[in-house]
Amino acid sequence: MSTMACDDRTDLDEQTSKDAPQSPGHPAWLKSAVFYEIYPQSFRDSNADGIGDLPGIIEKLDYIENLGCNALWINPCFDSPFKDAGYDVRDYRRVAPRYGTNEDLIELFRQAHGRGIHVLLDLVPGHTSEEHEWFVQSKRAERSAFSDRYIWTDSAFHGYSMPFIGGESERDATYILNFFKCQPALNYGFAKRDQPWQSAPDSQAAQGTQAAMIDIMRFWLARGCDGFRVDMANSLVKNDGDDKPETIRVWQHMLGTVKREYPQSAFVSEWGVPKQALAAGFDMDFYLDWRWDGTGNGYNLLARNVDDALDERHDHSYFSAVGGGSIRAFLDDYLPQYEASKDYGDFCFITCNHDSPRLAPRLTARERAIAYGMFLTMPGVPFLYYGDEIGMRYRSLPTVEGGYARTGSRTPMQWDDGDNLGFSEAPATVLYLPVDDADDAPTVADQLDDEHSTLTWVRRLLALRAEREALRASSSFAVTTAPDDGRVFAYRRCSPQGEELLVAMNPGIRAERVFASSDPAHDAENRASNEQKHIQAAATHDPLISLGSYSWDQDGLIMGPQSFAIFALR
Ligand code: GLC
Ligand code: CA
């Protein structure tokens, strides 16, 4: 692996990507954005009915601002039968009554903007609820403008190689599902067609679906929303193969149209292949957590490299002090994707999301602090999942609203020692999900003034990120130390103005050297003498932030057990 020069990333600020002529520039505000993901049903209940709501989010905007986040992603808050917690949308243009009204959402945009906070809603373009009016129309025997809005076969007795449902409609056909049974797939056409009932991606029917989705985006953007997190963005066109050319084309059209009208709007995809997602016109793509049959992707290797989210004994995550190994396995997955996408937009780290297990309690507070040190200082725009900043715990809970194993990451936010830990004044029995009942359940109130708390650490990291150009999303990134046989990981981040920082961490239990010109076990390419001198100069500086111990000698930096530090080099 070769190390990169620290100044090889073009500044993406409001610039059109060179090889992607269709993609308009990225909004300037993203460059310094730090997102906070809010699961609305679990954040703050303002009217004591047991479920979080929009006025509850408004109540907590000051908290979010003080934390250091300047952008929100709110999980679906639209009218829904909630068989998949709102990812089964019944009416895209109406806030679910349990969360409030459209006026409440517009008020949230207004109050957030007053604090410099941008707000992304969650767009579910690939399917609706089976109760959506389009689908109700589409199921009818007689033809209508909605007959081809979904994917129907040509007989109630014919299936296809995708999950489908028969016997539910007046119409003599089966329909294709996108996810759960309650989520029929919208029709964006098929790239490869082998059945007469399959539309082409440029058919009138498929274009009608695109136009309808564009109108939904316009509806909320016109009311003050700043963009969308887009659900299952990579699977709109069916039979599209691994490279997704037709799905990319669909997004280029939809995002191109919307961004021409709202150039400051931002879009982040649930895609997980940044090269494709950014070519499709998204500003950012998530580094998703993937694990199949005991094998994880790069992100999974960092902090979720275990089959059972609560099993710390078998955890081989990089950040596990005893169970972890070298950072190389992560870099093998990450670097090619970063390299292939860095000139076109952002590849984003999450601390967790509503679909993945939280890191606590499996990882200790110290292990998580080092993980956050990395997640919040890598390239891209970071996403902090509500409650991770206080170490809220994944819990083993029965499923609610189609959550299944995900339910344990969706419990109510823990504010203080009031009723239901400050989440709601409703009786505990009517809460959306139970609050953590442990005696030592972490709360915001307990951690705010504790200088050793996770909350204080996250606030300090975010304050540093806000101060330093080198930590901005698109500032360049270069690995400086990543031994095969050790636990340390160090990288440089450099701003276009020449500010240069060294981020170093050691999640392991033994002290380790970061730069060792005399030690052949370490990366040869990192021993270039001028680099060595350059880094050496930092020895005279105190770190900008640190956890645990570190020391410098004539060969370089030694990071103590379970340590993290950032040094200014220039
Ligand atoms: C996405 C969402 C998930 C939802 C699914 C179906 O993966 O993040 O929560 O269940 O799509 O919409
Ligand atoms: Ca409520």
Side-chain angles (χ1 to χ4, degrees), residues 452-507:
H452 301 294
S453 69
T454 303
L455 180 56
T456 300
W457 174 246
V458 170
R459 289 176 73 192
R460 289 179 58 213
L461 283 164
L462 293 181
L464 183 65
R465 191 180 162 102
E467 249 169 49
R468 298 286 169 160
E469 285 280 335
L471 294 177
R472 296 287 150 79
S474 58
S475 289
S476 70
F477 163 79
V479 173
T480 59
T481 301
D484 276 326
D485 57 348
R487 303 295 319 279
V488 283
F489 177 35
Y491 47 91
R492 282 187 285 165
R493 300 291 317 276
C494 312
S495 74
Q497 293 76 24
E499 181 184 58
E500 191 167 342
L501 304 181
L502 175 72
V503 180
M505 68 196 77
N506 175 9

Side-chain angles (χ1 to χ4, degrees), residues 259-270:
K259 285 191 155 224
R260 266 189 295 281
E261 295 166 29
Y262 296 93
Q264 288 297 310
S265 59
F267 293 82
V268 56
S269 50
E270 185 192 36

